[in-house]
Amino acid sequence: MNNVLVTGFEPFGGKAINPSWEAVRPLQGCQIAGANIEVCLLPCVFDTSLEYLYAAIERLKPELVISVGEAGGRSNISVERVAININDARIPDNTGKQPIDIPVIIDSPMAYFSTLPIKKIVNELNHAKIPATVSQTAGTFVCNHVMYGLLHYLNQHFPTVRGGFIHVPYLPEQAKKFLDEPSMAVEMMIAALKIAIEATLRNEKDIAVTGGATN
Ligand code: PCA
């Protein structure tokens, strides 16, 4: 059975929980569209996160890799379109590193597009009444770093393997601490990730519809 690798992040920025890992962890061992789901926790640390990711890819030889991270303040599941070759950290990572205007990988392309069927995923999520949009920026912190590193690595070493990134909102218990921030229940996030995986495995190509993009 083919593997699908799904990664989540440890908490960062002084927070106690990261919704990405809460949503990703329960997927371990699930079977979706004939594939076996393997999960991996990434540290919220520049460069080290990519070492963990590449080691998991080499170990599991997945047919698909989806990385997931927290996007506090967003209300929807954000299916990211693009990763850019820049680190510009607003806050330090979990080891205190705060790169400003430094390429993720030197002498590499300016950007990579997700190779997931992003419009199809958003379409299916909305069909399932899960708020979701295509997002045009994964930021410039560790999530964009991981998305860029993932797509570069796949491009260089596993060009037939698809990969991409999904941001999830805060969990309700986090949002209580950040006044008026939107949130989503973990059950809905888990359902969303399952739909995204299945939509990708069942669709080699994307569909040409408007993505309902807001950012
Ligand atoms: N979110 C951060 C990094 C880790 C995470 O879950 C980001 O959006 O860059």
Side-chain angles (χ1 to χ4, degrees):
M1 191 181 287
N2 288 345
N3 286 324
V4 170
L5 172 62
V6 187
T7 72
F9 277 104
E10 67 182 7
F12 67 101
K15 288 170 274 188
I17 194 168
N18 190 318
S20 67
W21 183 238
E22 300 307 310
V24 165
R25 185 173 44 189
L27 301 178
Q28 174 61 39
C30 285
Q31 293 183 9
I32 299 176
N36 172 56
I37 312 303
E38 293 286 328
V39 305
C40 174
L41 176 65
L42 300 183
C44 188
V45 178
F46 287 99
D47 300 321
T48 313
S49 49
L50 291 180
E51 288 166 21
Y52 277 57
L53 176 66
Y54 299 159
I57 292 171
E58 293 298 337
R59 181 167 53 85
L60 296 164
K61 297 281 188 302
E63 65 168 310
L64 166 66
V65 185
I66 300 181
S67 290
V68 184
E70 166 191 295
R74 292 193 191 175
S75 55
N76 290 347
I77 298 284
S78 302
V79 184
E80 299 295 346
R81 185 195 292 268
V82 60
I84 57 176
N85 192 10
I86 201 81
N87 299 320
D88 190 7
R90 182 179 50 83
I91 55 171
D93 72 11
N94 283 357
T95 58
K97 278 189 281 188
Q98 190 171 2
I100 310 283
D101 296 347
I102 290 173
V104 177
I105 300 171
I106 53 165
D107 298 330
S108 299
M110 282 189 277
Y112 283 100
F113 286 128
S114 171
T115 50
L116 307 181
I118 56 173
K119 301 283 183 74
K120 181 71 181 165
I121 292 171
V122 166
N123 212 260
E124 300 226 340
L125 290 174
N126 290 339
H127 191 73
K129 302 208 169 9
I130 297 176
T133 48
V134 169
S135 162
Q136 319 298 348
T137 175
T140 53
F141 192 48
V142 182
C143 287
N144 173 75
H145 177 85
V146 160
M147 183 179 178
Y148 185 92
L150 166 65
L151 293 171
H152 184 69
Y153 197 78
L154 294 180
N155 181 273
Q156 301 285 299
H157 303 286
F158 302 97
T160 63
V161 175
R162 288 183 292 167
F165 199 99
I166 295 177
H167 265 119
V168 295
Y170 283 139
L171 294 167
E173 58 262 46
Q174 291 181 286
K176 267 190 279 179
K177 296 188 198 127
F178 305 106
L179 285 180
D180 295 331
E181 294 287 10
S183 66
M184 184 180 282
V186 71
E187 293 79 11
M188 186 174 273
M189 295 182 190
I190 295 167
L193 295 179
K194 288 181 176 172
I195 289 170
I197 294 165
E198 175 144 15
T200 303
L201 293 176
R202 293 203 191 284
N203 293 276
E204 276 301 318
K205 299 215 176 311
D206 206 356
I207 52 172
V209 294
T210 178
T214 54
N215 52 25

PDB file of all heavy atoms in Angstrom, residues 84-98:
ATOM      1  N   ILE A  84       7.314  30.817  -1.384  1.00  0.00           N
ATOM      2  CA  ILE A  84       8.334  31.718  -1.935  1.00  0.00           C
ATOM      3  C   ILE A  84       9.678  31.502  -1.242  1.00  0.00           C
ATOM      4  O   ILE A  84       9.736  31.065  -0.085  1.00  0.00           O
ATOM      5  CB  ILE A  84       7.896  33.201  -1.834  1.00  0.00           C
ATOM      6  CG1 ILE A  84       7.587  33.616  -0.391  1.00  0.00           C
ATOM      7  CG2 ILE A  84       6.680  33.439  -2.732  1.00  0.00           C
ATOM      8  CD1 ILE A  84       7.242  35.095  -0.231  1.00  0.00           C
ATOM      9  N   ASN A  85      10.747  31.827  -1.982  1.00  0.00           N
ATOM     10  CA  ASN A  85      12.091  31.512  -1.492  1.00  0.00           C
ATOM     11  C   ASN A  85      12.622  32.622  -0.589  1.00  0.00           C
ATOM     12  O   ASN A  85      13.642  33.246  -0.879  1.00  0.00           O
ATOM     13  CB  ASN A  85      13.027  31.271  -2.683  1.00  0.00           C
ATOM     14  CG  ASN A  85      14.342  30.654  -2.245  1.00  0.00           C
ATOM     15  OD1 ASN A  85      14.488  30.230  -1.093  1.00  0.00           O
ATOM     16  ND2 ASN A  85      15.309  30.600  -3.163  1.00  0.00           N
ATOM     17  N   ILE A  86      11.911  32.842   0.507  1.00  0.00           N
ATOM     18  CA  ILE A  86      12.363  33.861   1.458  1.00  0.00           C
ATOM     19  C   ILE A  86      11.945  33.484   2.877  1.00  0.00           C
ATOM     20  O   ILE A  86      10.843  32.996   3.093  1.00  0.00           O
ATOM     21  CB  ILE A  86      11.802  35.268   1.084  1.00  0.00           C
ATOM     22  CG1 ILE A  86      12.645  36.375   1.710  1.00  0.00           C
ATOM     23  CG2 ILE A  86      10.354  35.428   1.415  1.00  0.00           C
ATOM     24  CD1 ILE A  86      13.893  36.694   0.942  1.00  0.00           C
ATOM     25  N   ASN A  87      12.871  33.669   3.801  1.00  0.00           N
ATOM     26  CA  ASN A  87      12.564  33.614   5.230  1.00  0.00           C
ATOM     27  C   ASN A  87      12.571  35.050   5.747  1.00  0.00           C
ATOM     28  O   ASN A  87      13.563  35.761   5.576  1.00  0.00           O
ATOM     29  CB  ASN A  87      13.638  32.852   6.011  1.00  0.00           C
ATOM     30  CG  ASN A  87      13.779  31.411   5.577  1.00  0.00           C
ATOM     31  OD1 ASN A  87      12.791  30.743   5.310  1.00  0.00           O
ATOM     32  ND2 ASN A  87      15.004  30.923   5.503  1.00  0.00           N
ATOM     33  N   ASP A  88      11.480  35.471   6.360  1.00  0.00           N
ATOM     34  CA  ASP A  88      11.402  36.819   6.936  1.00  0.00           C
ATOM     35  C   ASP A  88      10.555  36.697   8.192  1.00  0.00           C
ATOM     36  O   ASP A  88       9.339  36.880   8.170  1.00  0.00           O
ATOM     37  CB  ASP A  88      10.792  37.790   5.918  1.00  0.00           C
ATOM     38  CG  ASP A  88      10.914  39.239   6.374  1.00  0.00           C
ATOM     39  OD1 ASP A  88      11.575  39.496   7.401  1.00  0.00           O
ATOM     40  OD2 ASP A  88      10.337  40.112   5.708  1.00  0.00           O
ATOM     41  N   ALA A  89      11.213  36.353   9.307  1.00  0.00           N
ATOM     42  CA  ALA A  89      10.492  35.936  10.510  1.00  0.00           C
ATOM     43  C   ALA A  89      10.069  37.138  11.346  1.00  0.00           C
ATOM     44  O   ALA A  89      10.908  37.965  11.719  1.00  0.00           O
ATOM     45  CB  ALA A  89      11.372  35.008  11.338  1.00  0.00           C
ATOM     46  N   ARG A  90       8.785  37.197  11.641  1.00  0.00           N
ATOM     47  CA  ARG A  90       8.216  38.252  12.497  1.00  0.00           C
ATOM     48  C   ARG A  90       8.581  38.014  13.957  1.00  0.00           C
ATOM     49  O   ARG A  90       8.735  38.943  14.740  1.00  0.00           O
ATOM     50  CB  ARG A  90       6.685  38.224  12.304  1.00  0.00           C
ATOM     51  CG  ARG A  90       5.877  39.237  13.048  1.00  0.00           C
ATOM     52  CD  ARG A  90       4.386  39.067  12.706  1.00  0.00           C
ATOM     53  NE  ARG A  90       3.912  37.687  12.830  1.00  0.00           N
ATOM     54  CZ  ARG A  90       3.527  37.112  13.977  1.00  0.00           C
ATOM     55  NH1 ARG A  90       3.535  37.788  15.099  1.00  0.00           N
ATOM     56  NH2 ARG A  90       3.111  35.853  14.002  1.00  0.00           N
ATOM     57  N   ILE A  91       8.705  36.722  14.316  1.00  0.00           N
ATOM     58  CA  ILE A  91       9.063  36.333  15.687  1.00  0.00           C
ATOM     59  C   ILE A  91      10.151  35.265  15.584  1.00  0.00           C
ATOM     60  O   ILE A  91      10.312  34.640  14.522  1.00  0.00           O
ATOM     61  CB  ILE A  91       7.848  35.755  16.462  1.00  0.00           C
ATOM     62  CG1 ILE A  91       7.217  34.577  15.690  1.00  0.00           C
ATOM     63  CG2 ILE A  91       6.813  36.844  16.749  1.00  0.00           C
ATOM     64  CD1 ILE A  91       6.164  33.814  16.482  1.00  0.00           C
ATOM     65  N   PRO A  92      10.896  35.016  16.665  1.00  0.00           N
ATOM     66  CA  PRO A  92      11.910  33.955  16.625  1.00  0.00           C
ATOM     67  C   PRO A  92      11.258  32.577  16.514  1.00  0.00           C
ATOM     68  O   PRO A  92      10.126  32.376  16.968  1.00  0.00           O
ATOM     69  CB  PRO A  92      12.636  34.086  17.967  1.00  0.00           C
ATOM     70  CG  PRO A  92      12.227  35.400  18.543  1.00  0.00           C
ATOM     71  CD  PRO A  92      10.893  35.731  17.958  1.00  0.00           C
ATOM     72  N   ASP A  93      11.970  31.630  15.915  1.00  0.00           N
ATOM     73  CA  ASP A  93      11.489  30.242  15.918  1.00  0.00           C
ATOM     74  C   ASP A  93      11.752  29.631  17.292  1.00  0.00           C
ATOM     75  O   ASP A  93      12.184  30.333  18.223  1.00  0.00           O
ATOM     76  CB  ASP A  93      12.106  29.450  14.755  1.00  0.00           C
ATOM     77  CG  ASP A  93      13.594  29.140  14.951  1.00  0.00           C
ATOM     78  OD1 ASP A  93      14.129  29.337  16.069  1.00  0.00           O
ATOM     79  OD2 ASP A  93      14.224  28.680  13.979  1.00  0.00           O
ATOM     80  N   ASN A  94      11.522  28.332  17.441  1.00  0.00           N
ATOM     81  CA  ASN A  94      11.609  27.734  18.781  1.00  0.00           C
ATOM     82  C   ASN A  94      13.031  27.558  19.297  1.00  0.00           C
ATOM     83  O   ASN A  94      13.221  27.091  20.421  1.00  0.00           O
ATOM     84  CB  ASN A  94      10.849  26.401  18.804  1.00  0.00           C
ATOM     85  CG  ASN A  94       9.353  26.628  18.878  1.00  0.00           C
ATOM     86  OD1 ASN A  94       8.890  27.765  18.967  1.00  0.00           O
ATOM     87  ND2 ASN A  94       8.580  25.548  18.837  1.00  0.00           N
ATOM     88  N   THR A  95      14.035  27.922  18.489  1.00  0.00           N
ATOM     89  CA  THR A  95      15.408  27.950  19.023  1.00  0.00           C
ATOM     90  C   THR A  95      15.954  29.376  19.045  1.00  0.00           C
ATOM     91  O   THR A  95      17.150  29.575  19.257  1.00  0.00           O
ATOM     92  CB  THR A  95      16.364  27.061  18.198  1.00  0.00           C
ATOM     93  OG1 THR A  95      16.347  27.512  16.833  1.00  0.00           O
ATOM     94  CG2 THR A  95      15.980  25.606  18.269  1.00  0.00           C
ATOM     95  N   GLY A  96      15.088  30.343  18.783  1.00  0.00           N
ATOM     96  CA  GLY A  96      15.522  31.741  18.857  1.00  0.00           C
ATOM     97  C   GLY A  96      16.045  32.312  17.554  1.00  0.00           C
ATOM     98  O   GLY A  96      16.449  33.466  17.489  1.00  0.00           O
ATOM     99  N   LYS A  97      16.035  31.500  16.485  1.00  0.00           N
ATOM    100  CA  LYS A  97      16.508  32.011  15.188  1.00  0.00           C
ATOM    101  C   LYS A  97      15.438  32.911  14.573  1.00  0.00           C
ATOM    102  O   LYS A  97      14.248  32.560  14.584  1.00  0.00           O
ATOM    103  CB  LYS A  97      16.776  30.853  14.218  1.00  0.00           C
ATOM    104  CG  LYS A  97      18.130  30.199  14.416  1.00  0.00           C
ATOM    105  CD  LYS A  97      18.436  29.213  13.295  1.00  0.00           C
ATOM    106  CE  LYS A  97      17.722  27.890  13.481  1.00  0.00           C
ATOM    107  NZ  LYS A  97      18.101  26.843  12.555  1.00  0.00           N
ATOM    108  N   GLN A  98      15.861  34.020  13.995  1.00  0.00           N
ATOM    109  CA  GLN A  98      14.903  34.944  13.367  1.00  0.00           C
ATOM    110  C   GLN A  98      15.502  35.486  12.065  1.00  0.00           C
ATOM    111  O   GLN A  98      15.897  36.649  11.987  1.00  0.00           O
ATOM    112  CB  GLN A  98      14.553  36.085  14.335  1.00  0.00           C
ATOM    113  CG  GLN A  98      13.392  36.920  13.847  1.00  0.00           C
ATOM    114  CD  GLN A  98      12.902  37.903  14.899  1.00  0.00           C
ATOM    115  OE1 GLN A  98      13.453  37.995  15.996  1.00  0.00           O
ATOM    116  NE2 GLN A  98      11.855  38.639  14.576  1.00  0.00           N
TER     117      GLN A  98
END
